[in-house]
Amino acid sequence: MNGGRIGPKDLRTLLGEWETDGQSAYHALADRIRLLIIDGRLPTRTRLPAERELADELDRSRTTIVSAYRALKQTGHLVSQRGSGSVVALPHPHDRPGALPQPAVVDFARAAPAAISGLETIIQRATANLSGVLGKTGFDLIGSPTLRERIAHHYSARGLPTRPGQIMITLGAQHAIALIGRTLVRRADRVLVESPTYPHALDAFRMSGGRLVTVPVTADGWDGDRLRDAFERVRPSLAYLIPDFQNPTGASMPPAQRDDVIRYARRAGTVLVLDETTADLDIDRGWTDVPFAARADDHRTVTIGSLGKSVWGGLRIGWIRADDDVIGALHAARAAGDLGTPELEQLVAIEVFDDYDALVQRRTEQLRHHRDVLVRELHERLPQWDVPVPDGGMSLWVGLGAPISSALALFGLTRGISLIAGPRFGVDGAFERFLRIPYTGRSDDLARGVHLLADTARSLPALPAGRAPQLAEVV
Ligand SMILES: Cc1ncc(COP(=O)(O)O)c(C=O)c1O
């Protein structure tokens, strides 16, 4: 879609339930399109449907659409291009000095914890003698032999025999997903993803030209029949799954279902991409298992790992474990996008693996405390919301009971809280009744965040017509 056009049907799907009680239709429509632009679901340079087409699709007057587009042009979110109609843009902040984004007081948008305590000492230890690094280029495409060896050992010790040659070090897990997408997915290939799932994986597979097909997952897990049907009917080239403490639902796939998935994938000829970025965030699941790929170690299984959640995202250290041919293909394709992982960060990662289990234990203790604080605050201040308690991971996937997720994200900005609307985690405008709330921030921020959230939620139905703050005023 980036630089392309979005048809009226697809735009209607993305818009979801966009009308709100307190706003005129054109304001509500402009606000919803602005939100889609801001959170990346409508990439810049995308051409929107002509006004008449969209009016027919939404069953609204052409005047409503013309007014919404005009409002978007006034705030710099749409530009008119001769011959191309109305094209998505991002306003330059200097063009609108009175409307600079306010820094959020509480960030409930990102699920990314601060560095685990003890990392500073590890960094000092790792960088005490840099002569070996500074005398070389300091970056490489495949990863340092020592770090690859450490990670291979880490897998082998957990029941998945691994050679260093099966490991590539990446710039975090997101980089791994994007590299796998552009190397293994060809245009129009079918890519099976969970719904909801980690949004930037959706972006990466879309950019690779993949056609996304979904299989539902809830806080209770994956529906076995739907999983089997998805593999049998769609025969995807690639399936991207987050089997442990899935982002955003927190669900974990039971071992027997993992065996089913492997069987379905084999029959369909599907490459399984298993994102284990969140796999070590086990708060109180009560069972452990070998890494998923140990159940099916063959050339069709690719595992992604990262230190981003367990230790610190600031290191930007992730990795891919796959068979030698896949690693070879990724290695060959990588330089088109980046020239490699810094050795400085890899030195730190090597030291991290000396203390890994203790660091992870510290992280999960912290997450347990934060999860419990967040759940308690939500029960107290927003008792009408459905709050399933995950046994690991880093966020709650909360049921709001009404389609207000985008409105919360929108008006939350006026109250100093940044949120990602539920539909960002899906592919078809669904999840307007859900909100992901991470518990990776500081614990006093969790209480403050819930206070702001409750305040935002309370204000939604009470907005008198015409008085609703427009997104244009706050971003
Ligand atoms: C499931 C999943 N995969 C990948 C990533 C990206 O992680 P990294 O910081 O290692 O790029 C995230 C971050 O939230 C995630 O939740």
Side-chain angles (χ1 to χ4, degrees):
M1 204 196 293
N2 196 358
R5 75 181 287 276
I6 182 166
K9 272 201 173 44
D10 287 341
L11 182 54
R12 190 181 67 174
T13 306
L14 268 189
L15 287 168
E17 298 174 58
W18 56 273
E19 284 164 285
T20 56
D21 285 346
Q23 281 183 301
S24 59
Y26 90 85
H27 265 148
L29 181 60
D31 267 358
R32 181 56 57 91
I33 293 176
R34 235 177 244 118
L35 186 68
L36 295 173
I37 295 170
I38 291 163
D39 75 13
R41 281 178 283 166
L42 271 177
T44 51
R45 296 193 289 127
T46 304
R47 180 152 57 100
L48 294 193
E51 285 112 347
R52 182 164 304 288
E53 279 181 310
L54 189 59
D56 288 348
E57 184 64 37
L58 299 181
D59 203 15
R60 288 283 166 176
S61 73
R62 187 165 172 269
T63 315
T64 298
I65 313 298
V66 169
S67 305
Y69 279 17
R70 188 184 304 126
L72 289 163
K73 282 171 190 164
Q74 277 164 0
T75 55
H77 292 90
L78 270 191
V79 291
S80 298
Q81 277 182 2
R82 198 198 291 267
S84 299
S86 302
V87 175
V88 168
L90 277 173
H92 196 289
H94 300 301
D95 296 343
R96 305 172 53 239
L100 287 175
Q102 298 302 313
V105 179
V106 175
D107 180 1
F108 271 176
R110 285 184 297 177
I116 194 68
S117 65
L119 185 62
E120 193 173 337
T121 318
I122 292 177
I123 293 174
Q124 280 158 359
R125 209 164 64 212
T127 53
N129 182 357
L130 290 177
S131 53
V133 170
L134 297 179
K136 297 188 287 177
T137 55
F139 55 92
D140 74 292
L141 285 169
I142 189 87
S144 93
T146 316
L147 182 55
R148 295 169 79 201
E149 201 263 312
R150 286 290 159 93
I151 293 172
H153 175 75
H154 188 74
Y155 279 118
S156 301
R158 280 163 174 69
L160 176 59
T162 303
R163 288 172 287 101
Q166 290 176 275
I167 303 290
M168 168 187 268
I169 310 299
T170 61
L171 299 161
Q174 176 59 30
H175 172 235
I177 297 167
L179 180 60
I180 288 166
R182 66 185 168 78
T183 311
L184 303 186
V185 175
R186 277 166 306 181
R187 187 151 292 282
D189 273 359
R190 294 199 172 110
V191 175
L192 184 68
V193 292
E194 292 145 339
S195 177
T197 188
Y198 167 58
H200 298 308
L202 297 176
D203 298 340
F205 290 122
R206 270 200 200 103
M207 279 184 76
S208 311
R211 276 193 287 159
L212 301 182
V213 283
T214 60
V215 61
V217 56
T218 67
D220 293 329
W222 293 252
D223 176 325
D225 293 339
R226 303 281 293 272
L227 257 179
R228 192 194 53 235
D229 282 0
F231 279 97
E232 276 179 7
R233 277 190 302 104
V234 176
R235 306 184 75 78
S237 322
L238 185 147
Y240 168 81
L241 303 174
I242 311 171
D244 297 274
F245 314 114
Q246 201 256 1
N247 183 2
T249 60
S252 287
M253 189 179 279
Q257 200 167 40
R258 296 177 191 221
D259 289 334
D260 293 341
V261 165
I262 287 160
R263 240 191 1 267
Y264 306 149
R266 279 208 182 117
R267 261 190 239 139
T270 305
V271 173
L272 275 181
V273 176
L274 305 158
D275 185 344
E276 296 185 343
T277 297
T278 48
D280 288 333
L281 309 180
D282 181 348
I283 297 177
D284 45 19
R285 186 168 64 179
W287 54 271
T288 50
D289 195 22
V290 290
F292 197 126
R295 300 173 166 278
D297 195 19
D298 57 26
H299 66 286
R300 291 193 180 282
T301 318
V302 179
T303 302
I304 294 171
S306 172
L307 295 181
K309 310 299 170 191
S310 50
V311 179
W312 190 37
L315 284 177
R316 307 310 305 140
I317 291 286
W319 57 88
I320 299 169
R321 181 205 179 274
D323 107 331
D324 302 61
D325 289 348
V326 173
I327 294 291
L330 296 168
H331 190 178
R334 179 167 174 177
D338 74 287
L339 293 180
T341 314
E343 276 203 48
L344 216 50
E345 278 79 351
Q346 295 191 65
L347 277 185
V348 176
I350 291 165
E351 292 285 329
V352 159
F353 275 100
D354 282 349
D355 287 343
Y356 190 71
D357 291 345
L359 295 172
V360 166
Q361 195 184 339
R362 224 172 286 157
R363 174 65 82 210
T364 51
E365 275 161 16
Q366 179 195 49
L367 288 173
R368 174 185 294 115
H369 173 60
H370 287 195
R371 177 198 64 182
D372 294 347
V373 169
L374 183 58
V375 168
R376 197 175 56 239
E377 292 289 332
L378 285 167
H379 280 158
E380 245 166 56
R381 291 186 191 273
L382 289 151
Q384 69 279 23
W385 287 4
D386 176 29
V387 183
V389 182
D391 51 19
M394 50 192 178
S395 55
L396 306 180
W397 184 238
V398 171
L400 306 172
I404 55 168
S405 197
S406 293
L408 279 173
L410 209 60
F411 300 128
L413 289 171
T414 63
R415 288 173 161 71
I417 180 163
S418 59
L419 302 164
I420 297 185
R424 184 71 178 89
F425 296 84
V427 294
D428 47 12
F431 306 119
E432 193 54 86
R433 290 166 187 268
F434 289 85
L435 185 67
R436 183 189 75 166
I437 313 182
Y439 44 85
T440 45
R442 297 198 335 236
S443 61
D444 49 345
D445 269 357
L446 295 174
R448 205 142 48 116
V450 174
H451 178 84
L452 293 170
L453 206 49
D455 188 35
T456 308
R458 249 193 322 275
S459 72
L460 291 183
L463 293 167
R467 288 279 324 283
Q470 308 304 317
L471 183 56
E473 293 166 10
V474 292
V475 295

